Amino acid sequence: MACTMINQQCLPFECLQVEIQDIIKNFVDVYQCDADIVITTIYAIVSIAVNKSIKLFDGKYTNYPSMWICHVAPSGSNKSAPVKMLYKPINELNEEAVMAYYEELRNTDRDDGTNKPKPICKKLSLTDTTPEAIYKALSFMPQMIYRDEIKGMIDDFDRYNRSGIISNMLSIWDSTSFCIDRKTEDPVFIREPFLDILGGIQPGLLKSTFGNPQLMVSGFNQLILFVYPDKVPVTYYSDKQLSESIMPYWTDFIRELLKVEPTELTLSPEAKDFYCTYYNMLQDKKSSANDYMQYVYSKLQIIILRWTIVTHLLWEKTFDYYQKDIISGDEMIHSVQCMLYFESAAEKVYQEICGGMYQGYTKEQSLKIIYNTYGGEVNLQKLADALGCSRQYVSKAVNKKDLS
């Protein structure tokens, strides 16, 4: 399973805690699945467990460890079973949260002369991906959207496109605070939202799901870390089961993460050097890339910092150089290796979506897509100024009937 620095075909995990390595190896052995699916699911579950308790300040910006992950593998490849098992601790926590909510609600409803506020159900994840459900949940606390088939989430977005869901999802990914105003409901203010996304999709559905021009041009697709194995293991019948110690350890590990004290991580000088080198490498790649991949490179420059937070939490702590609040150079190198994999997977998804024919959109087409992405609530003059064209040109572009 070992990966070298120049191998982009699998995600490294040799320097993670021994117990985490054992989980990965045991899951791969029992479920006969790709290790990258197991690794990225572990990262996603750890991310929602610590959510905004851990942040990284790189000297200029602050990042939380939120991440959007999509596993791409054919039906029958066991891409779902290991994810559901690793997700089990979150499901158990959700069940406890719902039970606590109803118990508190019963106490609230008692006629004792007090005016108690309605309790909050402190679930960590949701499967209802209508805009109202997402906004309401995020206004209370960090959330994870877990959909076995992520196409359902994108289809929900399509149905509510006029509500500005895509533009709000972009703000959510950036942890940008925003307010939701509805004519028939009270306004909802979402402060520094934190949202993880975890799900899967079959390769044959990539184009119909992510090939929507709005998702491609707005930058939505490029926020997703795709896991797309080149070769899916053949799944034979097996009676193997997970080791008895695996799930109890994993459950306890996640529950302990929920208790972590608020912490701000920083980069060691060596880690900062490695990060800058990777950042500049992506800058060079942008100069010869198409519009779609330029977006990918720009987002990876941010995602690597988020990924590094979880890497630090999973890192083997017996290493002499390990420091509780500082990202080491080795941890950053590890994260760079992971980004090389995701970069390769993004290119693969892009080719699958476009069939190698995508050459970007004209300025007119891009203008209309951007305008529609924000539900038509864009100042045309500001958009014109930003793009260096006249307001009349923008108005003409956004009012065309199609993109052809």
Side-chain angles (χ1 to χ4, degrees):
M1 303 300 299
C3 292
T4 65
M5 186 62 184
I6 60 172
N7 187 353
Q8 302 173 13
Q9 303 311 310
C10 62
L11 294 169
F13 63 89
E14 297 79 11
C15 291
L16 304 184
Q17 295 170 34
V18 173
E19 295 83 357
I20 299 299
Q21 293 186 47
D22 289 342
I23 291 174
I24 296 167
K25 293 173 183 176
N26 198 203
F27 266 76
V28 170
D29 181 45
V30 171
Y31 289 100
Q32 303 177 61
C33 61
D34 190 87
D36 300 331
I37 289 176
V38 178
I39 295 167
T40 48
T41 301
I42 287 174
Y43 267 71
I45 301 300
V46 169
S47 169
I48 188 58
V50 298
N51 54 78
K52 294 168 72 174
S53 295
I54 309 290
K55 58 186 178 181
L56 170 62
F57 181 65
D58 66 357
K60 189 174 183 180
Y61 301 107
T62 296
N63 274 281
Y64 297 113
S66 61
M67 53 188 71
W68 296 1
I69 293 172
C70 179
H71 302 138
V72 185
S75 177
S77 61
N78 254 358
K79 73 177 184 296
S80 299
V83 176
K84 290 177 181 177
M85 185 59 74
L86 288 165
Y87 179 76
K88 194 173 180 180
I90 301 299
N91 227 9
E92 293 172 351
L93 288 164
N94 285 342
E95 182 180 7
E96 293 170 14
V98 171
M99 292 174 64
Y101 167 78
Y102 281 113
E103 177 63 28
E104 193 174 350
L105 190 63
R106 282 192 290 271
N107 294 332
T108 302
D109 289 341
R110 290 174 183 163
D111 189 11
D112 57 3
T114 60
N115 186 21
K116 298 177 181 178
K118 187 175 180 180
I120 296 171
C121 185
K122 297 179 180 179
K123 291 198 310 169
L124 282 170
S125 67
L126 62 158
T127 55
D128 182 350
T129 48
T130 58
E132 288 73 16
I134 294 173
Y135 303 151
K136 183 177 180 180
L138 286 175
S139 68
F140 296 138
M141 59 187 296
Q143 292 291 325
M144 165 183 276
I145 293 176
Y146 169 53
R147 296 289 291 261
D148 183 32
E149 295 295 336
I150 209 166
K151 180 174 174 24
M153 181 189 75
I154 302 300
D155 289 345
D156 285 346
F157 291 173
D158 285 342
R159 281 194 291 273
Y160 294 94
N161 187 35
R162 283 186 171 274
S163 70
I165 178 64
I166 297 299
S167 64
N168 285 335
M169 288 297 289
L170 301 180
S171 295
I172 290 168
W173 188 88
D174 278 331
S175 293
T176 300
S177 303
F178 64 100
C179 188
I180 299 296
D181 295 305
R182 295 284 185 266
K183 291 181 180 179
T184 58
E185 298 179 14
D186 293 334
V188 175
F189 187 79
I190 304 174
R191 185 181 301 280
E192 294 188 343
F194 182 104
L195 179 68
D196 283 322
I197 296 176
L198 177 64
I201 193 170
Q202 298 176 37
L205 296 175
L206 277 172
K207 186 170 185 178
S208 61
T209 304
F210 293 104
N212 181 331
Q214 188 177 12
L215 299 182
M216 296 181 71
V217 174
S218 67
F220 180 88
N221 285 356
Q222 294 88 334
L223 303 178
I224 300 172
L225 293 175
F226 287 98
V227 179
Y228 199 164
D230 286 330
K231 187 177 181 180
V232 177
V234 178
T235 306
Y236 297 103
Y237 178 83
S238 173
D239 287 324
K240 287 183 177 180
Q241 296 183 353
L242 292 172
S243 299
E244 290 184 4
S245 61
I246 291 294
M247 287 309 296
Y249 176 84
W250 175 241
T251 300
D252 290 344
F253 183 81
I254 294 303
R255 287 179 177 268
E256 285 302 310
L257 288 176
L258 292 170
K259 303 174 186 176
V260 298
E261 295 294 325
T263 303
E264 181 176 276
L265 303 177
T266 57
L267 299 176
S268 69
E270 188 179 27
K272 187 64 177 284
D273 286 344
F274 286 130
Y275 171 67
C276 291
T277 299
Y278 177 67
Y279 183 100
N280 292 334
M281 180 187 76
L282 292 178
Q283 288 295 95
D284 290 336
K285 287 187 176 183
K286 288 181 192 178
S287 63
S288 58
N290 58 46
D291 294 346
Y292 185 95
M293 290 306 298
Q294 284 182 20
Y295 274 123
V296 170
Y297 299 144
S298 292
K299 298 310 175 185
L300 287 177
Q301 289 170 326
I302 301 170
I303 292 172
I304 185 174
L305 296 172
R306 301 180 177 196
W307 186 267
T308 303
I309 297 173
V310 179
T311 296
H312 184 73
L313 295 170
L314 295 174
W315 203 250
E316 178 54 60
K317 294 174 176 53
T318 60
F319 291 141
D320 292 339
Y321 58 79
Y322 182 84
Q323 298 182 64
K324 181 182 177 182
D325 300 338
I326 300 177
I327 303 294
S328 69
D330 281 5
E331 291 168 89
M332 184 58 71
I333 289 177
H334 175 99
S335 297
V336 169
Q337 287 182 272
C338 294
M339 294 306 108
L340 294 176
Y341 170 89
F342 291 124
E343 182 184 328
S344 178
E347 178 71 35
K348 190 175 178 182
V349 168
Y350 159 71
Q351 294 296 336
E352 195 82 29
I353 291 173
C354 305
M357 299 299 293
Y358 177 77
Q359 297 297 326
Y361 292 96
T362 65
K363 183 181 285 189
E364 263 192 14
Q365 291 171 331
S366 297
L367 277 168
K368 187 165 186 178
I369 291 170
I370 293 170
Y371 182 78
N372 290 336
T373 296
Y374 290 90
E377 297 181 2
V378 179
N379 185 298
L380 297 186
Q381 186 59 58
K382 288 184 178 179
L383 186 57
D385 293 342
L387 294 173
C389 55
S390 67
R391 187 186 185 286
Q392 290 78 8
Y393 180 87
V394 172
S395 179
K396 180 180 177 182
V398 301
N399 287 309
K400 274 197 171 182
K401 292 184 178 180
D402 55 50
L403 291 172
S404 59

